[in-house]
Amino acid sequence: MKKNLAVLLFIFTYISTFGQTAATKTNYSNKVLTASDMVTNKVIKPLKKIPLDDTSILIYDYDGSLFSFDLETETIGWTVKASDSHTEMCANKVTISEGVIYVPFINGEIFAIDNQSGEFFWKSRLGNITDQIVLKDQTPVLHNGKLYITAQNQNQTSNLYALDIKDGSLAWNYKFDAPSNDIPLLFFDSKIFTQSGSNIYSFDANTGKVLNQKSFEEVMGGKPVTDGENIFIANEKDMLYALNPNKLDIAWQFKLDENQYNIKERILCKDSKLYFAAQGTDITSLYALDSKTGAKVWKTDFKNDNIEYITRENDNLWGYTKKGKLFELDLSNGEIAFETKLTTIPVSNIEFPNDDNLLYYYCDAGLIQFDLNEKDENVYYMRTSLLENIYSAYLKIIR
């Protein structure tokens, strides 16, 4: 009996130890990361709250440089670029918190910058200059002293990183098996939600512990959003799912019209309604669904032209198409309140100043100030050089 008890204790100890080892593998530190995954950081000066330069707009140019442009004096205040001179692509978005700008570059660098002066608080690099990590289509997400972001590695893996916003050091990291992970993540209810391949994950935002993982038949390629109750995410084809945030169970699912697909980042929530735009071959559509049930509220079609971008401003939805049609839709019924054909094609988001008659977007020539009353495109800032391959640009009015 003593021998059997000893064997049982040994087995229990082994299982317990193995279980603990497996659990720690969901959370990495720099001690176990390879050189191509490791996070290095350099503190330039202590992080502090900075007043906002509220006469300026941030322009993340499509050549990969970020600069502050004063809308009153029409002059550039400061410019920041990645350390690698060949990094000529914007590819990402920026986040401002307490006057500090957090900007990721496609080469894996992330900077914390003073919005007034452009001076650095800290610099971090994911991976190294030889085996570069790629940061693409990312928006830094900040909560509770951490910055969350996903990255792709050249060795066909991808990573979720949590950095300490005080100095840019690694707080925790999770390595996915799938190589592609270029969709912004979601913070909700102290959890991080993100996709990798055909899987959806939820993590404890503080520790990086995997809380749930759900597999789907198709690759997931949509930006996750929430209405405060469920999580909504689409695959790369024609399905949109509402998931319970605690267990990732499917609450409902919605199939796009025939020959429509790929919602990606064209999705948002407001007042228990879910709004999203699909791509299409002949007809592309903007949908409004009841976020609780998945029932269709309205649908607006665009023929022979794909919707590239949507955003919400006040009680209406704005966007533009691939062929340069700028439009405004009433959120309540989907009716078009305003539309015009632009002569310059936007490559960025749309920013709205306090003046209700103006909006800004970026094109291959530079910054456009659009007068809604006159339907006039004013080149507010003209670029001095052009690139042949334009991926994207990003604007953010400092306020």
Side-chain angles (χ1 to χ4, degrees):
M1 182 67 185
K2 289 183 179 180
K3 182 178 181 181
N4 291 339
L5 180 60
V7 171
L8 288 172
L9 287 172
F10 172 80
I11 294 173
F12 175 79
T13 302
Y14 174 80
I15 293 174
S16 176
T17 303
F18 178 80
Q20 291 175 0
T21 303
T24 60
K25 289 184 178 179
T26 65
N27 187 306
Y28 292 82
S29 69
N30 269 336
K31 294 180 180 179
V32 295
L33 290 178
T34 66
S36 60
D37 295 313
M38 188 174 293
V39 177
T40 54
N41 66 300
K42 180 181 180 181
V43 176
I44 313 300
K45 61 180 182 179
L47 191 77
K48 65 177 182 179
K49 184 176 180 179
I50 302 294
L52 294 177
D53 180 11
D54 55 10
T55 64
S56 296
I57 184 171
L58 295 175
I59 300 177
Y60 200 168
D61 208 341
Y62 55 78
D63 65 357
S65 61
L66 173 71
F67 61 94
S68 174
F69 183 78
D70 192 304
L71 293 171
E72 293 182 353
T73 63
E74 300 183 30
T75 57
I76 295 175
W78 51 262
T79 302
V80 169
K81 296 182 179 180
S83 300
D84 304 340
S85 59
H86 64 275
T87 311
E88 294 187 341
M89 184 181 289
C90 164
N92 297 289
K93 302 174 179 64
V94 306
T95 298
I96 302 178
S97 176
E98 296 189 330
V100 180
I101 301 166
Y102 300 88
V103 52
F105 294 90
I106 194 169
N107 67 339
E109 289 185 307
I110 302 173
F111 299 160
I113 303 168
D114 184 324
N115 86 97
Q116 296 252 11
S117 65
E119 296 177 352
F120 296 100
F121 292 107
W122 52 258
K123 299 180 179 182
S124 287
R125 179 184 279 276
L126 312 181
N128 57 59
I129 197 168
T130 303
D131 302 311
Q132 282 190 355
I133 277 179
V134 176
L135 288 170
K136 183 182 175 186
D137 296 325
Q138 293 298 304
T139 304
V141 174
L142 272 62
H143 279 281
N144 299 328
K146 292 185 177 64
L147 181 154
Y148 304 96
I149 201 163
T150 56
Q152 301 179 59
N153 196 306
Q154 291 181 344
N155 62 11
Q156 300 303 303
T157 61
S158 57
N159 294 269
L160 167 61
Y161 290 96
L163 306 183
D164 190 323
I165 65 169
K166 293 195 304 295
D167 56 14
S169 62
L170 178 67
W172 56 262
N173 164 264
Y174 183 87
K175 182 179 288 189
F176 300 103
D177 294 327
S180 61
N181 198 322
D182 55 1
I183 296 293
L185 53 82
L186 171 69
F187 177 96
F188 172 62
D189 192 26
S190 300
K191 304 180 186 71
I192 295 295
F193 298 88
T194 191
Q195 56 81 31
S196 180
S198 59
N199 296 308
I200 301 297
Y201 296 82
S202 65
F203 297 85
D204 182 296
N206 186 47
T207 65
K209 178 183 178 181
V210 178
L211 302 176
N212 286 286
Q213 176 183 346
K214 186 175 183 62
S215 298
F216 293 81
E217 293 182 1
E218 303 288 346
V219 172
M220 305 304 289
K223 173 185 174 181
V225 296
T226 182
D227 63 351
E229 293 186 19
N230 286 327
I231 303 299
F232 307 99
I233 190 165
N235 63 21
E236 287 188 343
K237 291 191 174 180
D238 57 2
M239 294 297 297
L240 173 68
Y241 299 94
L243 306 178
N244 179 292
N246 295 319
K247 296 184 178 180
L248 299 183
D249 295 333
I250 297 176
W252 53 259
Q253 60 189 49
F254 180 86
K255 184 178 174 62
L256 300 175
D257 286 356
E258 187 177 359
N259 296 323
Q260 293 188 355
Y261 52 88
N262 209 2
I263 294 171
K264 290 186 77 67
E265 295 186 47
R266 296 176 290 272
I267 184 169
L268 55 93
C269 282
K270 177 178 169 57
D271 299 333
S272 300
K273 297 292 188 300
L274 188 64
Y275 304 94
F276 56 91
Q279 300 276 289
T281 51
D282 299 318
I283 297 177
T284 183
S285 300
L286 254 167
Y287 295 82
L289 306 184
D290 185 308
S291 68
K292 310 304 178 188
T293 64
K296 187 190 300 181
V297 179
W298 54 257
K299 179 170 74 76
T300 301
D301 295 331
F302 292 74
K303 294 183 179 180
N304 302 313
D305 197 2
N306 272 318
I307 299 168
E308 291 289 295
Y309 169 83
I310 62 169
T311 189
R312 180 179 65 82
E313 175 65 12
N314 296 324
D315 292 326
N316 284 353
L317 188 148
W318 287 81
Y320 60 80
T321 67
K322 188 174 183 179
K323 295 181 180 179
K325 178 186 288 186
L326 177 70
F327 61 84
E328 176 189 14
L329 266 62
D330 188 319
L331 286 180
S332 63
N333 53 28
E335 293 182 357
I336 295 178
F338 172 90
E339 65 178 342
T340 188
K341 181 68 170 63
L342 300 169
T343 59
T344 53
I345 306 299
V347 296
S348 74
N349 58 309
I350 298 172
E351 278 287 89
F352 297 86
N354 293 328
D355 189 331
D356 293 335
N357 297 319
L358 299 175
L359 61 80
Y360 292 96
Y361 63 86
Y362 211 66
C363 71
D364 61 354
L367 179 66
I368 301 296
Q369 182 192 69
F370 187 80
D371 188 310
L372 295 170
N373 290 334
E374 302 295 330
K375 295 187 177 180
D376 181 48
E377 300 164 47
N378 174 31
V379 182
Y380 214 61
Y381 161 76
M382 181 174 289
R383 298 189 84 253
T384 56
S385 62
L386 300 179
L387 295 177
E388 292 184 1
N389 300 316
I390 300 173
Y391 179 74
S392 68
Y394 183 71
L395 305 176
K396 194 171 188 66
I397 294 176
I398 298 178
R399 57 188 172 194

